[in-house]
Amino acid sequence: MQIDSGEAEILRTAVEDYFCFCYGKALGTTAMVPVPYEKILRDPGAVVVQGLPEGMAFQHPENYGLATLKWILENKAGISFIINRPFLGPASQLGGPVVGADAKRSVTSPSESCGPISVKTEPMEDTGTAVKEVAVSVKKESEDPNYYRYNIQENQHPCVSSEVIEMELPMEDSIPRVTSETGEDPEAEVKIEGSTNSSSITNSAAGVEDLNIVQVTIPDNEKERLSSIEKIKQLREQVNDLFSRKFGEAIGVDFPVKVPYRKITFNPGCVVIDGMPPGVVFKAPGYLEISSMRRILDAAEFIKFTVIRPLPGLELSNVGKRKIDQEGRVFQEKWERAYFFVEVQNIPTCLICKQSMSVSKEYNLRRHYQTNHSKHYDQYTEKMRDEKLHELKKGLRKYLLGSSEIVGPEQKQAFANVSPNETAAVQPIEDMAGNLWEKLREKIKSFVAYSIAIDEITDINNTTQLAIFIRGVDENFDVSEELLDTVPMTGTKSGNEIFLRVEKSLKKFNIDWSKLVSVASTGTPAMVDVNDGLVTKLKSKVAMICKDSDLKSVCCIIHPESLCAQKLKMDHVMSVVVNSVNWICSRGLNHSEFTTLLYELDSQYGSLLYYTEIKWLSRGLVLKRFFESLEEIDSFMSSRGKPLPQLSSQDWIRDLAFLVDMTMHLNTLNISLQGHSQVVTQMYDLIRAFLAKLCLWETHLARNNLAHFPTLKSVSRNESDGLNYIPKIVELKTEFQKRLSDFKLYESDLTLFSSPFSVKIESVHEALQMEVIDLQCNTVLKTKYDKVGVPEFYKYLWSSYPKYRIHCAKILSMFGSTYICEQLFSIMKLSKTKYCSQLKDSQWDSMLHIAT
């Protein structure tokens, strides 16, 4: 590109305009914002300019040579501004009228193209030369249709050949877009020519020249244009949805929250965004390039929002109170054909997979369809798509009505023309769960061994609910855990009464009593009483049916662990902690002032936690946060006239630190014992490991080695501090051994299951010794055992070991805890409220069975 010296000013003006646009883009606006060159040069760290040639400093374009100006225009796609500290000025540098350095441009709406469209351009001030001819070619960039390429051709003299300067500038939102308003293709080529006769130049005060459009060429690839624009729109929606979800997670809600992009930009440090791709600056999706948006979606799992301090003028405490019913979203009929969704009881439901969406929002429906179904259903077009839609609607009606055995011919005829909305409204919930009960009955028939877990809770109606779960193993060693029944208990709650209810529930499913292996309970007297407990009754029942059977009784591992933890209650510590937390958090003024204090001191926590004795993990979490906020609590209590001498006592602080460490160890054990489908041998291994740790800690404390008590170590000052807590460790160890004696009775059977190749033959039952010897000498199975481990190994166990296979199936079917019952009670507590407490027992059974 060769440029005359007389045209140097045009290059400088073009570069200056592009710098203004980039600076405005960095500030979060599409308007051109004048660049404060002097402020940037005085404070180079405030604004960083990327993309300039290596070794070249940023400065005003009038200080650049022609070669540099040409290089900037040719490589401007890689130039960007990053604002570290915005300059405060009039209107915060935004909102004021922005006038280009070279011209005023006014363009009428493309819809008024019947008349001439004029563009007025001022002559350059330095040269005083009027622009003779301008040709503008608007073309779609290969990657982003929102970016256009301008080819500007200038003629100073009629005899001099024209030279072309290519500039790539993003369109501003304030400028009407020809492609979106006229429905014409973005490849449309618009040529603007001015009069070459000098007499056409008027002697007005502005000294401007009128230019008229003389030719418009529009290729007819309408379908490709719409497809391209729609893809860009979807891409921006995906990025915006990603940012909204991440911002919602940052403020503690489980749904997307609108991101205040402008507030985040002008308040750096309030919200930190980690995980953005290298070279991509966080800003609203409307200002991001396509390549940047794609890189952001690729790095979605690494992006994280962190709210360091509240954004000015934004109340985050009310953000979580989302009221969907006030958003006015209405399901549109066109979405049925486009995404195969229908509205069932005001909830959008997918006709293909029956999944429902929480909000009638087109983006959610489109994303679900494109992610899960578009690959197979895009092939249906026009009439075929309508036929497929009708077919899927009929399938949904059958799905809502249930199987043919449940619904008779008369009912089918009555529902033939009923919409999904009406069908769901009249369909009983028992019918919806009917197929699940039938499948459970079929599954129980395939069990070679099974166990049950039983627990009870009192619901909102003051009625005791007995929950019965079954865990079974089939011949392929596939394990299933299912809710068998929930039984309301009225009147006495003796062991005999509970037994009658359990017997009735097992009879309802035609369960074979001879395959019952064990029963897990919480260890209450009604469950384990020697004379009249449930376990005693069940053992008698099993012995009557199968004399060789020995029903195992297992007390929930988690409950004894929780009871053992209460041995570390240390009331002189817990009473101070609980009273202090309650005094601060239960009074609105105190709580507000305390949270303000934590914020001013830049504490890692925003408040304290209430202690709830019934919650397993509450004690450890409350103590840990209280200890880490000890200085703030002491300062606040003293300033309110309620000083606590214990908070300044070294002995009390050491007791608190020891209790923090021990409760955190117990919490770690408790969490590892929770979860579905845990194998009883693995749970017992965790308990044995914790007992070994207690022995190690006892030895370490005797030497004042506090390596495993980091909190106590941080406040310890004497070499004998650890000796004071040895009795607590011994007491805790004794309590664990006492409460877990049930598992000690079955230790040999558990060991044979978990370590078949290393168990001693003398400890194995005589009926299994021959098969175990053959197994231990089988190198093929030994290799498979080393490779896959327990319990996956038993799926490969040969049928030539029938007795050992039955033994392993029995151990694999055992419940180690009643955790699954506790989880059901949590579901019941959330769903059985005063507004729906009048449902029938059969309806509750169906709802809970579906929920689990």
Side-chain angles (χ1 to χ4, degrees), residues 201-208:
I201 303 176
T202 60
N203 295 325
S204 61
V208 297

Side-chain angles (χ1 to χ4, degrees), residues 750-760 776 785 790 794 804:
L750 299 177
T751 304
L752 178 59
F753 174 83
S754 59
S755 306
F757 292 93
S758 59
V759 67
K760 295 181 179 180
Q776 290 181 347
Y785 173 83
V790 174
Y794 293 105
Y804 183 64

Side-chain angles (χ1 to χ4, degrees), residues 68-125:
T68 304
L69 294 173
K70 289 189 289 183
W71 189 96
I72 291 174
L73 290 176
E74 291 172 353
N75 300 275
K76 58 189 170 297
I79 297 177
S80 61
F81 283 54
I82 299 177
I83 299 178
N84 297 325
R85 294 185 301 276
F87 298 112
L88 298 179
S92 297
Q93 301 186 18
L94 294 176
V98 180
V99 181
D102 63 328
K104 277 186 179 180
R105 303 174 181 88
S106 62
V107 182
T108 62
S109 173
S111 60
E112 302 171 0
S113 58
C114 55
I117 297 177
S118 61
V119 180
K120 296 185 177 182
T121 308
E122 295 181 5
M124 305 307 300
E125 297 178 359

Side-chain angles (χ1 to χ4, degrees), residues 307-309 594-608 624-633:
V307 179
I308 305 300
R309 55 178 178 271
F594 183 71
T595 54
T596 303
L597 175 64
L598 293 178
Y599 172 73
E600 292 174 349
L601 296 177
D602 199 20
S603 174
Q604 61 177 323
Y605 299 116
S607 182
L608 299 177
K624 186 174 186 293
R625 183 168 295 195
F626 189 91
F627 179 83
E628 294 180 351
S629 306
L630 201 59
E631 294 182 4
E632 292 87 345
I633 295 172

Side-chain angles (χ1 to χ4, degrees), residues 41 43 48 117 144 171 200 311 587 624 708 805 847:
L41 294 177
D43 187 4
V48 178
I117 297 177
D144 191 347
M171 291 189 65
S200 63
L311 290 165
R587 293 168 172 81
K624 186 174 186 293
H708 301 290
R805 282 175 61 90
M847 288 182 62

Side-chain angles (χ1 to χ4, degrees), residues 331 339-344 347-359 364-365 367-369 371-373 396 399-400:
F331 184 85
Y339 313 120
F340 291 113
F341 265 84
V342 295
E343 194 173 27
V344 179
I347 298 175
T349 303
C350 179
L351 289 168
I352 302 171
C353 64
K354 312 301 185 293
Q355 184 175 342
S356 59
M357 300 286 111
S358 58
V359 185
N364 294 352
L365 274 57
R367 182 179 61 178
H368 174 83
Y369 172 76
T371 303
N372 303 297
H373 310 305
L396 179 63
Y399 174 79
L400 295 174

Side-chain angles (χ1 to χ4, degrees), residues 489-605:
M489 298 288 295
T490 56
T492 60
K493 303 175 182 64
S494 63
N496 186 58
E497 183 69 21
I498 297 175
F499 169 74
L500 293 176
R501 301 301 176 90
V502 173
E503 184 181 31
K504 183 178 179 180
S505 298
L506 294 177
K507 186 178 180 180
K508 184 167 61 175
F509 287 88
N510 299 322
I511 298 180
D512 186 357
W513 283 86
S514 63
K515 297 179 181 179
L516 180 59
V517 177
S518 69
V519 53
S521 64
T522 54
T524 59
M527 297 287 182
V528 297
D529 185 72
V530 177
N531 299 318
D532 196 32
L534 170 65
V535 175
T536 303
K537 299 286 185 182
L538 289 173
K539 285 184 177 181
S540 301
K541 178 72 174 180
V542 173
M544 288 175 56
I545 296 174
C546 185
K547 295 182 180 180
D548 297 334
S549 296
D550 181 20
L551 182 66
K552 298 179 176 61
S553 173
V554 177
C555 287
C556 174
I557 290 181
I558 302 179
H559 280 82
E561 185 272 340
S562 181
L563 294 172
C564 291
Q566 294 180 7
K567 286 294 181 180
L568 293 173
K569 197 168 185 179
M570 299 178 72
D571 288 336
H572 70 288
V573 175
M574 287 303 302
S575 61
V576 174
V577 172
V578 172
N579 291 337
S580 301
V581 171
N582 290 345
W583 188 83
I584 292 174
C585 295
S586 63
R587 293 168 172 81
L589 180 60
N590 291 346
H591 186 250
S592 176
E593 293 178 347
F594 183 71
T595 54
T596 303
L597 175 64
L598 293 178
Y599 172 73
E600 292 174 349
L601 296 177
D602 199 20
S603 174
Q604 61 177 323
Y605 299 116

Side-chain angles (χ1 to χ4, degrees), residues 336 340 351-352 376-377 379-395:
E336 293 185 0
F340 291 113
L351 289 168
I352 302 171
H376 302 288
Y377 285 85
Q379 59 182 327
Y380 298 103
T381 57
E382 299 178 356
K383 187 177 180 180
M384 292 177 59
R385 196 171 186 87
D386 293 334
E387 293 175 353
K388 190 65 179 178
L389 177 62
H390 181 67
E391 178 186 343
L392 291 173
K393 283 185 177 180
K394 290 177 64 177

